[in-house]
Amino acid sequence: ILASFIRHDGSNTARYGFQVPVASQVESHSILLNMGWKDQGWGNRKGKVYVVAEEENRTYDRSGQGQELCGGGRIVYASEIAPHALEQLAILIHPKKNETYHLWYVSGGGGGHSLRLSNVSVQALVFGDGSCSPPQDISTSMEHLLDDTPRHIAGYLQPVDAINLSSTCRKLHSRVPLTATPRRLILASFIRHDGSNTARYGFQVPVASQVESHSILL
């Protein structure tokens, strides 16, 4: 989208750069903004970049003279200080509906400071409608993961959330067949006074071996 973007405003204040193009006709999973970046190559390092979200139908101050950082938009990315030598910078954006995205920058105050961006490109990962054919080399041996995915997701959830996922619909319950067993008393009382600061063995926590357990609440 840009072969070169060079600024030497002599300011430590964030300034408006350019809008990051995001396709509005399709839903995007993510946007990868990639570029080479560096400062003037000597002296103090002050350069920075921001990616800022602006809501549609709202007015923002892009003059760089306002009281709010980056015109009052929602900052979705703030870089480290720009390097002296050219490096690659990759910024991942997860776009939301009714928002546009913009790059702001700081070149740095004082004599000779600058920010230099090169080969600025954008790549989008978009959701299709399922009507297009998959790539010919796509693996069919992994298709079982479609059935296993809800079960893997449940493994990262707290017990209550996992049960809620399982109860969402019959199809999900068939793939994540979770059932909470009744609470079972294993000890009415456990009292020890060994007079020792050393860890001592207490007892085994019973875990059912006949079925796979999502979690155990002791």
Side-chain angles (χ1 to χ4, degrees):
I1 60 173
L2 279 175
S4 179
F5 181 85
I6 301 174
R7 293 295 184 271
H8 33 75
D9 312 282
S11 174
N12 291 320
T13 302
R15 306 283 183 154
Y16 183 80
F18 53 85
Q19 181 169 346
V20 179
V22 176
S24 57
Q25 302 88 345
V26 293
E27 182 183 0
S28 296
H29 171 273
S30 53
I31 302 292
L32 180 62
L33 179 64
N34 198 60
M35 68 193 75
W37 77 318
K38 66 184 292 291
D39 63 9
Q40 68 283 349
W42 53 270
N44 293 328
R45 296 167 52 211
K46 298 182 179 181
K48 291 190 70 172
V49 296
Y50 300 89
V51 174
V52 178
E54 293 184 359
E55 295 179 14
E56 295 181 359
N57 304 319
R58 278 192 58 187
T59 302
Y60 296 87
D61 180 7
R62 296 179 182 172
S63 68
Q65 306 298 322
Q67 296 296 318
E68 295 182 285
L69 179 63
C70 298
R74 181 172 64 88
I75 297 175
V76 298
Y77 174 83
S79 75
E80 301 293 334
I81 303 299
H84 281 333
L86 181 65
E87 294 182 6
Q88 288 298 306
L89 177 64
I91 303 172
L92 188 64
I93 306 168
H94 292 283
K96 295 183 178 181
K97 290 183 178 180
N98 303 317
E99 283 189 344
T100 58
Y101 298 87
H102 307 261
L103 184 135
W104 287 65
Y105 68 92
V106 175
S107 60
H113 288 88
S114 65
L115 181 71
R116 301 159 184 260
L117 310 181
S118 58
N119 299 321
V120 183
S121 64
V122 170
Q123 185 177 21
L125 183 62
V126 300
F127 290 104
D129 58 8
S131 61
C132 58
S133 300
Q136 293 184 356
D137 60 349
I138 193 168
S139 172
T140 57
S141 63
M142 303 294 284
E143 289 181 351
H144 68 280
L145 289 178
L146 293 174
D147 293 327
D148 294 341
T149 297
R151 195 180 189 95
H152 286 301
I153 293 174
Y156 291 96
L157 300 177
Q158 294 294 321
V160 172
D161 295 326
I163 291 173
N164 288 338
L165 174 66
S166 174
S167 305
T168 301
C169 64
R170 292 181 179 179
K171 192 171 183 179
L172 274 175
H173 185 71
S174 67
R175 296 179 178 178
V176 192
L178 286 174
T179 303
T181 62
R183 183 173 299 183
R184 179 165 63 96
L185 182 68
I186 59 173
L187 279 175
S189 178
F190 182 85
I191 301 172
R192 293 293 185 275
H193 33 74
D194 310 282
S196 174
N197 292 322
T198 303
R200 305 284 184 169
Y201 182 82
F203 55 86
Q204 181 175 344
V205 178
V207 177
S209 58
Q210 301 87 349
V211 294
E212 181 184 359
S213 297
H214 169 275
S215 53
I216 302 294
L217 179 62
L218 181 62

PDB file of all heavy atoms in Angstrom, residues 14 101 133 159 211:
ATOM      1  N   ALA A  14       2.420  12.344  18.810  1.00  0.00           N
ATOM      2  CA  ALA A  14       1.936  11.436  17.774  1.00  0.00           C
ATOM      3  C   ALA A  14       1.224  12.223  16.686  1.00  0.00           C
ATOM      4  O   ALA A  14       0.419  13.113  16.968  1.00  0.00           O
ATOM      5  CB  ALA A  14       0.989  10.406  18.385  1.00  0.00           C
ATOM      6  N   TYR A 101      -9.243   1.715  10.670  1.00  0.00           N
ATOM      7  CA  TYR A 101      -7.953   1.606  11.352  1.00  0.00           C
ATOM      8  C   TYR A 101      -6.931   2.530  10.699  1.00  0.00           C
ATOM      9  O   TYR A 101      -6.883   2.655   9.474  1.00  0.00           O
ATOM     10  CB  TYR A 101      -7.489   0.148  11.356  1.00  0.00           C
ATOM     11  CG  TYR A 101      -8.464  -0.712  12.124  1.00  0.00           C
ATOM     12  CD1 TYR A 101      -9.561  -1.263  11.479  1.00  0.00           C
ATOM     13  CD2 TYR A 101      -8.336  -0.888  13.491  1.00  0.00           C
ATOM     14  CE1 TYR A 101     -10.500  -2.006  12.185  1.00  0.00           C
ATOM     15  CE2 TYR A 101      -9.265  -1.627  14.206  1.00  0.00           C
ATOM     16  CZ  TYR A 101     -10.348  -2.180  13.551  1.00  0.00           C
ATOM     17  OH  TYR A 101     -11.277  -2.887  14.250  1.00  0.00           O
ATOM     18  N   SER A 133     -14.291 -23.953  -3.368  1.00  0.00           N
ATOM     19  CA  SER A 133     -13.657 -25.260  -3.232  1.00  0.00           C
ATOM     20  C   SER A 133     -12.390 -25.134  -2.409  1.00  0.00           C
ATOM     21  O   SER A 133     -11.659 -24.150  -2.528  1.00  0.00           O
ATOM     22  CB  SER A 133     -13.321 -25.830  -4.612  1.00  0.00           C
ATOM     23  OG  SER A 133     -14.494 -25.975  -5.385  1.00  0.00           O
ATOM     24  N   PRO A 159     -15.070 -25.912  34.676  1.00  0.00           N
ATOM     25  CA  PRO A 159     -16.124 -26.926  34.636  1.00  0.00           C
ATOM     26  C   PRO A 159     -17.513 -26.382  34.286  1.00  0.00           C
ATOM     27  O   PRO A 159     -18.214 -26.946  33.453  1.00  0.00           O
ATOM     28  CB  PRO A 159     -16.089 -27.504  36.054  1.00  0.00           C
ATOM     29  CG  PRO A 159     -14.670 -27.341  36.477  1.00  0.00           C
ATOM     30  CD  PRO A 159     -14.220 -26.041  35.871  1.00  0.00           C
ATOM     31  N   VAL A 211     -13.992 -44.009  33.066  1.00  0.00           N
ATOM     32  CA  VAL A 211     -14.411 -42.979  32.113  1.00  0.00           C
ATOM     33  C   VAL A 211     -13.375 -41.853  32.101  1.00  0.00           C
ATOM     34  O   VAL A 211     -12.599 -41.700  33.040  1.00  0.00           O
ATOM     35  CB  VAL A 211     -15.804 -42.400  32.475  1.00  0.00           C
ATOM     36  CG1 VAL A 211     -16.884 -43.451  32.323  1.00  0.00           C
ATOM     37  CG2 VAL A 211     -15.798 -41.841  33.891  1.00  0.00           C
TER      38      VAL A 211
END
